[in-house]
Amino acid sequence: MKYPNIINKLSLEQKAMLMSGKNTWETWTFEEEGVPSIFLADGPHGIRKQLGSADHLGLNESIQATAFPTAATLANSWDVDLIERVGEALGREAVELGVNVLLGPGMNIKRNPMGGRNFEYFSEDPILTGELASAMIKGIQSNGIAASPKHYAVNSQELRRMSVDSVVDERTLREIYLQGFEIAVETSQPKFLMTSYNPVNGVYANEHEHLLQDILYGEWGYKGAVVTDWGGSNDHVEGVRQGSHLEMPATGRPGALELVEAVQTGRLDESLLDQRVDELLDVLLQIQIPNPGKDSLEEATKKTHHQIAYQAAQESIVLLKNTNQALPLSGKESVAFIGDFLYEARYQGAGSSTVNPTQLDNLIDLKEQYNFSEVQHTRGYRRDGKEDPGLLNEAIDLSKKVDKVVIFMGLTEISESEGIDRTHIRLEKNQLDLVKAIRSVNEHVVIVLSGGSVVELPFADDVDAIIHSYLSGQAGARAILDILTGRCNPSGKLNETYPLTYSDVPNEKYFPGLELTAEYRDGLYVGYRYYDKVEAPVRYPFGHGLSYTRFAYGGLTVEGHRVQVTVSNTGDLAGSEVVQVYVQKASEYVFRPVKELVAFAKVHLEAGESKVVNLELSKHAFEFFNPQNNQWEVEAGAYDILVGASSRDIRLEETVELEGIDAKGLYHQTQFETYFTGKVKEVSAEDFEALLGRPIPESHWDKKAPLTHNDSISQLYYAKSPIGRLVYKVITALIERSNKKGKPNLNLYFNYNMTFRAIQKMTLGMVNHAMVDDILYIVNGHFFSGVGRLVKNYFLNQKVNKAGESND
């Protein structure tokens, strides 16, 4: 142990208390014994430190902070240096506001475009995710505080996120869902890591021996601390045993007494508890902030960081289409700006990452600073999706009078939020009707999209140009105008594939998991790995993005894990290109995607300039995870190194021969035909069981069985008690009402998906385990006796808490 002098001063109860929060955001401090407190705050794209009463959902107002572009936006930059600078700025603001641990970045793989939290995550690809997350972590931690990448692991849906079991085979787990975390842990050494709510293959992530002991601490050599998601602890004792250090938020003295009792009864060895305290202290003492935090940022910080947010937005906007050089706007033509998003931008998502911006640029106000000969504007549609013939007709009339029309549209607030998955990937009908109507009276239409997730774009072939700003943060408006007018040459590339329709998505039939499980039957074939394997048409491929200039590739050389290529700007404007390197291997014995990203680099070139770009391939570039040997291995044979501008725009190719294992007999083509062909839209139970190597677990609730601690509030619709069924009806009615208003109610979403055990975990010690038992007894049909037990245990729990207060 590093800190025996401190640990030996602590009582058993004090050590147990350190394994949980003191309140919603802070940990316990024992000053006389030498234990400092820390403050944790949300912050994937901006600090959310609340004023007054704190809550984990962002319901209450927070201190102003810079709202940077979201992870889904930043990922389109493919620029590790830029993202490290954003991380440095985030860390600087955290220090100024007294935040020791920044809860981010979000790293989950965007398995399906309907994932409600996709706007908070980087990519469908683990290499892009891992490299960008690593850069952000380095930036944050350069300020002496901690980043906490999340959510570890296999967390791909919001529906019943606290209870649904992610059923995934070991190879897919390693190659897709853990590889990004592996890169981040090994290259940036985050000081905290947050576990996910969900079970993985039947075991909750926060107490998962394989994920924590075998992989995180064992194979990757992790040296930091592990924190639960808020309310994400299941068995606190087992979590501590397997390597979790901090259960958040506070569970009060009752939570600490769970560990005390476990030690006293022999379930948990006190020496292991001491080890966890020692490990946590090692992090706490490293991330102390010299000066107490303030309630506001320095004015100089606000100004400097707004500029960084602006630069990040510029680099992240993607030019999807540009027919006949419709963009940039010349300034000579008359232009109409149309769209509700013109007046009120979508610049961030909803949920625990919501930021109170230091300032918010506005397109209407800024357009006067650009050299348009004439710009008129109108709203065109209602944000809530309701039809408004008056607004539509105004837009049509205006469109007849101008040379070009720019329509600002995209996903509304209700479309993407923490706590709820999307129900489709379409834009609102009134927005689509607007595009069609305007296109009928004006041939020159430019679309500016906003939103953090994939959408269907049925009008793509009918308009001249499309730019996608994603959720570009508080300075995004100016960046959008820069791209439209050519002050900035677009350089963003898509971090995810845009399918033609949702029916093309490989896991549409397996997403989301509706009851007990989420089955990852699609295996390795996520995003472009699927579309390119089966040669399915897509709207825009992974890595796609246009420029106002042109780039040529040449001079490819490959030596081991090093690739060198010469990129030239053959156009008339300075610009930046993202060089993407993929590996391809044909094999009779190991099924694979047709190509996989293994390296990338963003390079800036003046007009006519050429540069030699050196790229280092990822650690596992030529490897696959062999579940039989439980290790990464290279299959002997030929590998194609593909270099290009997207997954479907390959410019150069080189073949190398590698030594490795003879994989003959590892996978039999007849048994794994679905996975060899990649046609995973229909995977039989037999095929999935072959991939898992075990029977598929039960996926449906037993509606005749009593509800338990790990069932969710959403299951109250079949509760035996009419009180329970009434609660379900009230919650769902309130959710429906809030949805109609177009504003997500995060508290309701959280409660709907919350497990009964989380009632204990989220109430700061006001409810203990016994009281949850009593609540379950009530909803399972024993109202009067259950209420009597609940009242009795309430007062007993109050007595325990008061005894703890008197000892503080």
Side-chain angles (χ1 to χ4, degrees), residues 63-64 96-97 294-299 302:
I63 295 171
Q64 283 191 332
E96 286 192 21
L97 297 177
K294 302 177 182 179
D295 287 337
S296 64
L297 296 174
E298 300 286 347
E299 289 302 316
K302 293 179 182 179

Side-chain angles (χ1 to χ4, degrees), residues 29 33 64 174 184 220-221 359 403 424 457 544 594 627 713 723 748:
T29 180
E33 292 81 3
Q64 283 191 332
R174 296 303 194 100
W220 302 347
Q359 71 177 82
D403 297 321
H424 60 79
L457 300 172
H544 169 76
V594 71
I713 304 300
I723 295 294
L748 290 173

Side-chain angles (χ1 to χ4, degrees), residues 132-261:
L132 298 185
S134 180
M136 182 167 282
I137 292 164
K138 289 176 183 176
I140 292 169
Q141 296 193 161
S142 68
N143 293 274
I145 64 163
S148 181
K150 59 184 184 181
H151 307 86
Y152 183 76
V154 204
N155 175 247
S156 302
Q157 68 179 68
E158 291 297 284
L159 181 67
R160 281 179 269 282
R161 59 181 178 171
M162 283 191 175
S163 58
V164 72
D165 181 14
S166 295
V167 181
V168 60
D169 68 283
E170 186 70 12
R171 184 177 169 200
T172 298
L173 175 69
R174 296 303 194 100
E175 293 188 23
I176 303 296
Y177 298 100
L178 295 189
Q179 193 173 176
F181 283 101
E182 180 180 8
I183 292 169
V185 167
E186 292 187 342
T187 62
S188 65
Q189 289 296 318
K191 298 185 187 301
F192 264 86
L193 182 140
M194 182 190 289
T195 52
S196 58
Y197 282 125
N198 53 284
V200 179
N201 293 325
V203 181
Y204 276 91
N206 192 65
E207 57 198 55
H208 205 296
E209 182 178 9
H210 186 48
L211 288 177
L212 297 176
Q213 290 297 318
D214 297 345
I215 299 174
L216 180 65
Y217 294 112
E219 294 180 24
W220 302 347
Y222 182 59
K223 302 300 182 185
V226 170
V227 59
T228 70
D229 203 340
W230 266 232
S233 174
N234 173 49
D235 184 330
H236 189 28
V237 175
E238 191 61 23
V240 170
R241 189 198 315 281
Q242 299 304 340
S244 179
H245 299 88
L246 191 56
E247 177 187 57
M248 291 297 288
T251 53
R253 190 163 183 253
L257 291 181
E258 289 182 25
L259 295 179
V260 171
E261 182 182 0

Side-chain angles (χ1 to χ4, degrees), residues 309-358:
Y310 166 53
Q311 294 169 352
Q314 283 183 318
E315 294 293 311
S316 303
I317 292 173
V318 186
L319 179 62
L320 295 175
K321 180 182 181 180
N322 193 21
T323 305
N324 299 323
Q325 295 182 318
L327 292 176
L329 300 174
S330 68
K332 298 177 182 179
E333 67 268 78
S334 59
V335 179
F337 280 4
I338 297 175
D340 189 79
F341 284 22
L342 174 65
Y343 298 87
E344 185 179 348
R346 279 284 328 278
Y347 65 97
Q348 65 176 334
S352 60
S353 66
T354 302
V355 180
N356 182 13
T358 57

Side-chain angles (χ1 to χ4, degrees), residues 779-795:
V779 301
N780 284 323
H782 307 282
F783 178 77
F784 293 105
S785 55
V787 168
R789 287 170 35 172
L790 180 61
V791 170
K792 177 183 177 181
N793 281 319
Y794 169 78
F795 285 108

Side-chain angles (χ1 to χ4, degrees), residues 345-379:
R346 279 284 328 278
Y347 65 97
Q348 65 176 334
S352 60
S353 66
T354 302
V355 180
N356 182 13
T358 57
Q359 71 177 82
L360 184 59
D361 289 348
N362 182 279
L363 285 159
I364 290 290
D365 297 335
L366 290 171
K367 69 180 179 59
E368 304 301 331
Q369 301 176 21
Y370 291 76
N371 296 323
F372 297 112
S373 62
E374 178 186 356
V375 177
Q376 300 180 63
H377 54 85
T378 188
R379 200 169 290 272

